[in-house]
Amino acid sequence: MRITGYRTLSTVQEWGRPVGDANGVFADGVVPVSIVIVDTDEGISGVGLGPHVEIERIFPAIEGEDPRAVTSLYDRMLRHTFKAGHAGPVFGTIGALDTALWDIKAQAAGEPLWRLLGGRDRRVTAYASGLDIGLTDDELVAAYEVYASHGLRAAKLKGGLDIESDRHRLSLVKEVLTEAGHGRRPGLMLDVNEAWTRKQAVRHVCELERTLDLIWIEEPVRRWDAEGLAAVSRGVSASVATGENLTGLEQYRPLIAAGAVDVVQMAAVWGVTHFLRASALAHAHDLPVSPIGNSPVGLLHAATSVPNHLTSELQDLHTPVGVSIDLHVEDGAFILGDAPGLGVRVDEERIRAVNRRPQAQTADSPNVRPERAGRRLLAGVDGVIPTRQVPVVSLNSRNEVSPTVRH
């Protein structure tokens, strides 16, 4: 079997409501999704959900090769980006190609990827993650009632712009999940997407922890700030979760060495091989791992085979336009199917027919770091208020003005 070519597609995830985080909001809820399809001379094609930046430079590393040599080909792709580096979307392109190769390998073996990788149980524990900072209270409750109806009892909210707003919203979701769980305490997490300084992080989380129990605080400071992440971890009761934006084991090592990460995260877009290697590194330090992403299907399969998987992120309950996946959600978990490979099918005609594209990226997009991030003094000042949110100036327990604010 030989790799003969590739195709790229662009579709969208239609949330039907605003989605975003502390950096900004997609008001129309339309989020771009890139797809890479790798073809072989035996008629088997593999699918990778991820970018295709500089794919013309990377693909020659695997063209004409046997796709079943996945991990060796992963390293060949890394070597092809040696001089310019493999960070960011280039790493995502390598990850998308890598995921497509794993899909081909499992299809050729006639097995679902989770079984090929050595998984015993097709059930992957999940938590709800609504990208919900742009929602009103009623919309927030309604969204998490849907998650709760699928058995989810843990939730991660977006926040970091105002203490009292975060406390209020976390409490609303806590009530929803507690009721659905017949009084059992739910799990709560907060993701601030690198919005704080070290002191802001400790102050904000400690104030929340006066009344709430948080499992983890996610990306409280910049992703590479090992000393700062370690300081936050020491200063709060919650675990520090980070890693979704780290591209390569060399970026995890200093964080782990500094005690800067308690829950090691890997983004679905970075690929299966990266997840397996980062999971092994984390396991060597007795740390749990947690995949993140809207369609983390490749990592869900891989998660069944690693001993330190904690939980996986479940965002939208619907798949991207033109994409179907052989899995479903019940009793708080992803349930993987028996289709060979990843179980991902792409309707290329439908994608081309719909031809819907997200709005052009603006300065208040979740993908653009605000100019005043980490340097806001008061709520509603020096920033843009997220969709449908009201600015609140909050006080801490000593009646001092909170240093974190809402856009």
Side-chain angles (χ1 to χ4, degrees), residues 66-82:
D66 188 326
R68 293 168 293 187
V70 186
T71 53
S72 295
L73 295 181
Y74 180 81
D75 289 320
R76 279 178 64 87
M77 288 188 284
L78 291 180
R79 291 198 299 273
H80 265 60
T81 61
F82 163 63

Side-chain angles (χ1 to χ4, degrees), residues 23 193-196 222 363 365-374:
N23 299 304
N193 296 98
E194 306 181 47
W196 295 331
R222 300 312 302 272
S365 161
N367 297 326
V368 177
R369 182 169 172 80
E371 182 180 357
R372 300 292 297 177

Side-chain angles (χ1 to χ4, degrees), residues 127-130 132 144 155-158 189 191 216 218 313:
Y127 68 89
S129 178
D132 44 47
Y144 281 91
K156 182 176 77 183
L157 274 66
K158 296 290 189 178
M189 298 88 96
D191 184 2
W216 76 56
E218 187 167 324
E313 183 174 38

